[in-house]
Amino acid sequence: MASSKKRIAKDNTSSGFKTKTPSKKVKTSHNLLASRNDGTARKPNHDESENVQLKGPSLLGGEETAFPRGGASVLTPLEHKQIKIEAQRDVLFEQAGNRSTKRTADDFEDDSQDEVTRETPASARKKLRPTPKSKTDVPRFDVKESSVRIEGLGYKRIIPGSLILGQISQINAYDVALTLPNNLTGYIPITAISDQLSKTLERIAGREDDDSDDESETSAKKEEDIDLNKYFSIGQYLRAYVTSTEENPSANSQIRSRRRIELSINPRQVNAGLSKSDFISHSMMQASVDSVEDHGLIMDLGLEDSWVKGFISCEKSGSDVDFSKVEPGSVFMCLVSNSSDNGRVLKLSVDMRKAGNIKRSRYLSDARNVDVILPGTAVEVLLTEVTHSGIVGKVMGMLDVTADVFHSGAVTKDIENTLKSGQKVKGRVICTFPTFDQRKLGVSLLDHVCSLTSPKAIKNEEAMDPLAALPLSTIVEGATVTKVIGTVGLILDFGIKGILGFVHISMISDKRVDSISESTGPCRVGSKHRARITGYNSMDELYVASMRESTLIQPFLRIEDIQVGEVVKGKVEKLVVNERGVGGILVNLAEGVTGFATEMHIADVKLSHPEKKFKEGMPVTARVLSTNPERKQVRLTLKKSLVNSDSPIIASYEDALPDTQSLGTIVNIVPVGAFVQLYGPVRAFLPVSEMSQAYIEDPSKHFRIGQVVNVRVLSVNPENQKMTVSCKDPTELGSEQESALQNLKPGSIVNATVIEKSNDDLTLQLEGSKLTAFLSFNHLTDGSERKCQRALREVRVNQVLKDLVVWQKNEKKRLVFLTNKPSLRTAATNGKLLTAFEDVHEGEKVVGIVKNITPSGVFLQFGGGLTGLILKRDLSDDIDSLADYGLQLFQPIDVTVRSINYEQRRFFLTMKEATTEAKPGAAHDDTKSDSTLNIINPVDPSIRSLEDLSIGKITKARIRSVKRTQLNVQLADNVQGRVDMSEVFDSWEEIIDKKQPLQKRFQAKDIISVRILGLHDARNHRFLPITHRASKNSVFELSAKPSDQTTSEPSILTLDKVTVGSTWTAFINNIGDSHVWASLSPTVRGGIALLDLSDEVTLLNDLDQSFPVGSALRVQVTNVNIENNRLDLAAVSRSSPVIKWEDLSKGMVLPGRITKIADRYITVELRNGVFGSASLTDLADDYDEVNIFHFNKNEIVRVCIIEVDAPNKRIHLSLRPSKVLDSSLPVRDPEITSLSQLNVKDVVRGFVKNVADEGVFISLGRQITGYVRVTDLSDAFIKDWKSQFQVDQLVEGKVLSIDPLLNHLQMSLKRSVVDKNWIPPITFDDLKVGQIVTGKIRKVEDFGAFLVVDNSANVSGLCYRSDVAAQRVADVRKLYQEGDAVKAKVLKIDSERRRINFGLKASLFQDEEKEDESSDENEEMADVPIVEADESEIDEDDMKDVDVNDVQDFDSDLDEDKDPSNKINEPPKVTKKINGKGLQTVGFDWTAGVVDLRKPGDVQDSEDEMEDTKRKKKKKRKAEIKIDRTGELDAHGPQSVADFERLLLGQPDSSYLWLQYMAHHLQLSEADRAREIAERALRTIGITEETEKMNIWIGLLNLENTFGTDETVEEVFKRACQYNDPQEIHERLISIYIQSGKYDQADTLFQRTLQKYTQSPSLWHNYATFLMTTMNSPERARSLLPRATQSLPPHHHLEMTSKFAQLEFRSPAGDAERGRTIFEGLLNTWPKRLDLYNVLIDLEIKGGEKERVRALFERVIGPKVKKDGIKLKPKKAKWFFKRWMEFEEKFGDKKTLEDVKRKAEGFVRLWKERETAGREKETDGGEVEDE
């Protein structure tokens, strides 16, 4: 490439390219045009070289200067004419080819590009007619060069790698929309902007992973950090690199899939292949901001030389860029000013006014390399052709450029008259065309593109944004056609000055329009039409419109056109199904616009089967709930209550005014209310008090999620976006009622009318005010509850109740409660009813009702919700001992106010008559009355009253109970106390049992000496001073320490007396998740971190066992914080000191506590707030064992420190056993810490770290990441490859390349690269006619069966009905079903149509020869004696006398395959029958053997013989039944009950005796007695005798089946399943049903059993045998095989398929031909399984098919042999020759017998020759080749 560029520069000094040496060769411009775009000039052939020798001088001489003054051409007139003639001739050939080629549908994919390029003026066609060549013709070129076509940008010309200039039109959250030329739009993902922005994203992702405290805060930071509006601006020009142009399929099949152009503006891709020397002044470069400095911006150019940077000075930034707001990672297209002296810094400018002023020579006039001329670069174009369809020209004399009709200016002016060939114009490059062989660029001559500005529309003499002047979806009446562009479309004038419109020909009408004319037809120039704006392209400076009637009448074209709350019509597009059923409905509203109705909004009621009501394509009417244009989401509702509502739409908080009513949907219900979703983002809170006029206790009982409610706005706060609503009818309470409610006082007398009646209360309406009130039935009278119920029954609706008392009022909830109790009415009338605390006076007599009854007293309720308390001692003496004090709820009581506590607003009542007048302040003397309380039965006789129990008093106490943390004691019968465990022992040595200090030393009722310390609040667990002993929850705090019994004053430990470093004895009183709490004294408690308890990790994982509550610890104080009342402790038994940051080092192994479990790592706390993390690669030595969910939070684990990052306070840990335990176990996945540990071709495993567009990143270690390109992910093509990989997925790959400098590692995941034994799948091209393949039936039709070839790339073909079997097949479905394994032969291959025809006839495979069994036969032959002769000298004559009958058996050789999966035809394991035979009594078998319906003799002796040799495992011996032969009975056995009882005394575990005992009673017709015997046997037989118990259960099942009912059988069956193996019980009952002829019950039970036990091969085979043999249902039996292969493990498939094939032979309802086909498929899949041949031979012998048997023997042994080998091992050959001889002796004749003998002799002869040849090679030093 570089050499070709030098040649171009060297040979063309006149092109404007700089050269160092003048050219010495003469080369015309025509030769230059023959150069390829890759820079290599095409060599002319012999004729071409002759024609190139031109006569006359050339201006391209080596001494000529470049671009002579005046701009004259450097070509001679002769050269001009020759080039012109050649160009005309090539155009004619091209036009002829275009006319002869039909346009396909793909030609109409591009909107306007292809049609523009095909336009040719009529005048040009006339001039280009070919003329006959004459002698006077000028010599022409034979070089066939095609003329430059006028090209426009289109989907077909855009490929990955194209470069395009675009303008930002939309900035979204995760991508940027870029307007491209020719009405195209591309999208730039956030990950394809710049390296700096990508690093920012990774840093945010890492910060989110590392942040373990506040995930919501991290998420908020992420959203806040990445705002693309800070990086870009609308209208900004950028150069983009096309990364993909894939189609986005639409969910609606009727809507055409749209292509999506994915772009990248990363300078690494945009500037790929360029170097610093390629950029000169006035060239355009795209760069990203690397950093923002004080004087400018450091720019990353994306060059290979990363040291080369760009710099933008603040002075040259222009007015468009604000440096203070520029973010690192922003991308700008810059103008290159110059470079620094050392070439390391390019000075750039982002002043678009300067860059766009190309008239002042700010365009590229020369260049060192053509690659510099990229989109965005301003150039000077020399026009070579001007048509009304566009222009063609050259840049710098050699580079072809073209501008189509849109970018040449032909839309607005006649360029044929304004532009001429040879004229130079200024333009700007807008695209490249990589698909063309000859390098060519697209340019634009439009003013706004050249000046890099945005076009403006002029409306009402005001310049504005075009979309502001004419918004999208606007319908323009009377748009005028100003220009017709051939078969492309129309140019319209919408009345907006400066901007025209374009309508593609496909958008003119709903009908097909093939052509349009400028002068005639409805679309002629000047005609007016009705059009709708569908888009705008700022690059083309055109509106995009449509004149289709369907578009004009469409309600909206985009989501932005949809109004929230609007009623729309659509069609059901799809029903979205989730795990709960139908989760929503997609509704197609218009082309490209789809809405979604969630499950909640499908209907007003919950539908059980929504799919029955809504069908795809069904029209529906919906209302728009919300729209999100950014995410392309429209939320709909199909609820009729919302769709048909006329209520106002509240779509924003600003629209919500108080008292506005609207409909909403309940989306969440909480105990205090519900949340209601209105329209748009508006959500309101509905308090429970505003849900109804009635009282609602639980909102969930009255409302449901998804319910539509009519709400009224109470209050709204738009700033905080909060709103409160109500469901109450606002008309119920007017201003007068509000006033009446305020004036209504508790205790007032009112009259009311009953308007509603329920079982519990009455709803009334107050006279006058019309307020609603409630009257509970308990308030109807003063009597009992029964009397109140009777009074309620007498009340009628509309009845007027008089003289009711207002009992309680709640203005906020608008609730009024009344009472009709006579006692309360009397008190209210007399003014004695308490309604407020201010009305309470001491000594006053009042009346109230019982509200609550507690052991300590009775609470009374008064009017207005006022409550008072009667203590137990203040109750009447006559009711003190009664249950509930003889009181009932709501019972009125007359009491006296005893005392008032004004501070706490409480008052106490009494029912006793006061003997003296109450004094003020009596409430404060309560403690004094308590102090004189009499002591009952004190332990210490010296104690007489509570006054004697003072602080420091030493007394006696009796232990009531010993708890783990305290001693509960009694000082007297009515005085309680406690001794905390910290107040028992003086020293550590006194504690005998550290885990149970109190239980080992004290017992209940012990009397101990104690000292009073204070009081303990039993409710709040607080230590109180002695002055608080009046509380009913207080007990005495005591000390039992020996030291406290001798000191003068007790000393209580407090926190201020504890110092850091001191040692104490602590007692555990609570165990938390991360700490253990221990008490030093009753008032001091500290926390011990789990890791500070012990260094032994095993102890920490079971704290309840290792450190139970109450256990004693020796602790050391590590921290004391008196202000926060915090004490930190550590167990002094720990050998390791307290860990600090400076103590940590690499390699340390420490215990840690897991504090967080994330998806990719776990966080472990070491000690003292030191945290570390372990990634996935550091969790195990075998990545297969890595499962993040195996760890539990707060679990204690051992970790190894592998890195300490002290400055950043980070520690990296490892949980690998090789690191933590010094394990010697093999490490499958070693730790990778650097690239030096890896070599190319190493196979390593790792976890997927990220799935990006360019490939997959794999984490191999903590700091090692491998990269896998998309092309290296799989051997097969995967369309949606991203769905095949997930983050944290374990993968295996091979290292392809390592770059230590860049720390890059490239890998491959292809199995062909990773696995050495990988075999590529079979493709269509690999198949040949006559090839034998295996496969599975994919589909069965009337005309044949489709099958898929095994181990292929989904290669499938058809087997016609005529090729299925030798006989005529009427219905293929009767022979095959989907999933059947078959063997087929390729009959025909149609390569053009890619079709394959297969044959399944058995006759097609008779002549097939098998592959050699093994490559080791030479070794085995030396040890196998075939005949009685010397192994070293085997003579051919000796082999003639071989008697095949003397051939030894070699069954043991068939046992080579030790895998049990290769065993077939193993009979199911049967429980050993008792005493050889089952007990036959009254017509049924007591043993109920497992189902085995095969007839005797079905399996040949050879099969049994081979099966016996294959089964090497010993069967588990079951307990044999021992019968007592005492001789006490006669020879006839037991004959009476006494006989049986006597025998059972000696053998109570013998099921045989118990079954005989049962049979004895059945012979006497005593079935019930037999059942009792069975139940007795089950209770008597030992629990270890499982087999004996099983026999009894089977006998009981037989009994109930014969003498019981279906219910009794089911009952016994369920019980038997509970005590035995359920599967065996199922199989035994099935056998019982079959033996008794109950086939329907057996069939049903078979189906139930298979649903539960799908992993039992014998069960599937038994059911198939039952269906085919007993039920005569072969189709049902055959349908079991696919189900069985799907359910069973793969190693059972061979055995199961073989058994089903054998059924086809053995069953009368089977099809032998079908069985042969199945066997052929098995033999082709497992050709070395000779036992399959053996079974098939036995089946064919039994069927009498002699020729088939001989054919099978031929296939096994082979009629031919290879020149250097044989097909069978010697021992196996002996076996089959022997069997063949036996067959011919029995069924053949002498001739066939002799033929078999000859074959055997030939086999031995060949073996001898091979053996001799092998020894000769060994003698010569050669090696014997293995077959």
Side-chain angles (χ1 to χ4, degrees), residues 256-285:
R256 180 183 175 184
S257 300
R258 296 186 177 183
R259 292 186 180 181
R260 179 180 174 92
I261 303 176
E262 294 282 349
L263 306 173
S264 172
I265 59 174
N266 194 318
R268 281 194 302 104
Q269 292 180 295
V270 174
N271 301 331
L274 301 180
S275 61
K276 63 179 181 179
S277 60
D278 293 333
F279 294 98
I280 60 176
S281 180
H282 298 154
S283 61
M284 298 296 290
M285 167 174 279

Side-chain angles (χ1 to χ4, degrees), residues 35-179:
S35 299
R36 299 178 183 267
N37 62 344
D38 59 358
T40 58
R42 189 184 64 186
K43 295 182 179 180
N45 56 25
H46 179 70
D47 297 334
E48 291 176 342
S49 61
E50 291 179 355
N51 293 331
V52 168
Q53 303 297 328
L54 302 176
K55 297 180 180 181
S58 174
L59 295 178
L60 288 178
E63 312 301 330
E64 190 68 26
T65 60
F67 287 97
R69 185 181 300 276
S73 175
V74 296
L75 302 178
T76 63
L78 179 60
E79 291 171 342
H80 268 301
K81 191 169 183 179
Q82 289 172 340
I83 292 174
K84 184 176 181 180
I85 293 174
E86 185 67 16
Q88 291 174 349
R89 183 171 62 82
D90 291 342
V91 170
L92 287 175
F93 279 112
E94 182 179 354
Q95 290 176 345
N98 288 340
R99 285 192 298 269
S100 62
T101 303
K102 294 183 180 180
R103 296 184 67 189
T104 63
D106 294 337
D107 295 330
F108 295 93
E109 288 185 1
D110 297 344
D111 292 337
S112 58
Q113 294 76 12
D114 292 351
E115 292 82 350
V116 174
T117 57
R118 293 188 177 93
E119 281 293 308
T120 305
S123 59
R125 289 197 294 269
K126 294 180 180 179
K127 293 179 181 179
L128 296 181
R129 291 177 180 173
T131 55
K133 181 178 179 181
S134 62
K135 295 181 180 181
T136 59
D137 287 342
V138 179
R140 66 179 181 84
F141 291 92
D142 288 341
V143 181
K144 297 181 180 180
E145 292 292 339
S146 60
S147 63
V148 179
R149 296 174 56 187
I150 299 175
E151 303 287 356
L153 208 58
Y155 279 116
K156 293 182 356 183
R157 297 189 183 92
I158 295 179
I159 63 172
S162 302
L163 293 175
I164 310 173
L165 179 67
Q167 195 174 11
I168 294 178
S169 60
Q170 187 176 0
I171 302 175
N172 302 319
Y174 302 108
D175 60 16
V176 176
L178 199 68
T179 297

Side-chain angles (χ1 to χ4, degrees), residues 96 124 133 378 515 600 701 833 1034 1084 1220 1373 1454 1486 1551 1703 1709:
K133 181 178 179 181
S515 62
M600 182 191 304
K701 295 182 179 179
L833 182 63
S1034 300
V1084 179
V1220 177
R1373 292 184 176 88
L1454 297 182
W1486 288 96
S1551 59
L1703 274 178

Side-chain angles (χ1 to χ4, degrees), residues 1057-1124:
K1057 299 179 182 179
V1058 180
T1059 59
V1060 176
S1062 57
T1063 303
W1064 301 85
T1065 299
F1067 299 88
I1068 297 176
N1069 58 18
N1070 191 15
I1071 299 176
D1073 293 335
S1074 59
H1075 286 76
V1076 170
W1077 303 100
S1079 297
L1080 305 185
S1081 73
T1083 59
V1084 179
R1085 190 176 74 157
I1088 308 175
L1090 296 185
L1091 299 177
D1092 292 332
L1093 276 174
S1094 174
D1095 290 330
E1096 187 61 38
V1097 177
T1098 56
L1099 297 178
L1100 300 180
N1101 282 324
D1102 191 0
L1103 293 178
D1104 293 333
Q1105 181 67 24
S1106 304
F1107 304 95
V1109 173
S1111 57
L1113 290 176
R1114 195 68 173 160
V1115 297
Q1116 184 179 7
V1117 179
T1118 59
N1119 181 36
V1120 179
N1121 190 333
I1122 299 177
E1123 295 180 358
N1124 297 328

Side-chain angles (χ1 to χ4, degrees), residues 442 783 786 925 1124 1186 1343:
R786 181 178 299 179
D925 296 334
N1124 297 328
V1186 173
F1343 50 83

Side-chain angles (χ1 to χ4, degrees), residues 505-514 548-550:
I505 189 172
S506 62
M507 295 295 172
I508 294 177
S509 174
D510 289 317
K511 299 180 180 179
R512 180 181 178 86
V513 178
D514 295 326
R548 285 182 174 181
E549 186 64 26
S550 59

Side-chain angles (χ1 to χ4, degrees), residues 732-903:
E732 292 186 2
L733 288 182
S735 58
E736 296 181 357
Q737 291 178 319
E738 290 283 355
S739 178
L741 181 61
Q742 295 177 1
N743 296 331
L744 190 64
K745 302 298 182 182
S748 56
I749 305 299
V750 295
N751 298 333
T753 304
V754 179
I755 59 176
E756 187 177 346
K757 178 182 176 182
S758 67
N759 294 330
D760 297 327
D761 56 13
L762 299 174
T763 304
L764 305 97
Q765 188 178 73
L766 302 184
E767 292 184 354
S769 62
K770 303 298 184 184
L771 291 174
T772 302
F774 301 92
L775 175 61
S776 173
F777 81 97
N778 294 302
H779 281 270
L780 285 176
T781 181
D782 283 338
S784 62
E785 181 178 353
R786 181 178 299 179
K787 187 175 181 181
C788 293
Q789 289 284 3
R790 187 165 56 250
L792 178 63
R793 289 195 295 267
E794 295 176 357
V795 178
R796 299 289 181 263
V797 178
N798 296 326
Q799 180 181 349
V800 178
L801 301 180
K802 296 183 179 182
D803 299 331
L804 300 177
V805 180
V806 178
W807 182 243
Q808 195 174 351
K809 180 185 72 171
N810 189 330
E811 290 188 14
K812 187 176 181 180
K813 297 183 179 181
R814 297 182 176 85
L815 298 176
V816 178
F817 296 95
L818 307 176
T819 180
N820 192 42
K821 287 183 176 292
S823 57
L824 298 179
R825 185 188 308 115
T826 302
T829 304
N830 299 330
K832 299 296 184 179
L833 182 63
L834 296 181
T835 58
F837 184 77
E838 291 74 13
D839 300 334
V840 181
H841 303 286
E842 288 186 13
E844 183 178 4
K845 291 187 177 182
V846 293
V847 60
I849 62 173
V850 177
K851 181 180 181 181
N852 192 16
I853 302 174
T854 65
S856 59
V858 178
F859 290 89
L860 294 188
Q861 185 180 19
F862 301 91
L866 197 62
T867 303
L869 173 62
I870 309 176
L871 295 175
K872 182 177 180 180
R873 64 172 180 266
D874 294 323
L875 295 171
S876 300
D877 296 334
D878 55 343
I879 66 173
D880 187 18
S881 60
L882 299 178
D884 291 337
Y885 312 117
L887 302 177
Q888 295 179 355
L889 296 180
F890 301 101
Q891 177 181 343
I893 299 177
D894 292 326
V895 294
T896 303
V897 178
R898 182 174 63 83
S899 61
I900 303 174
N901 188 335
Y902 292 96
E903 294 180 359

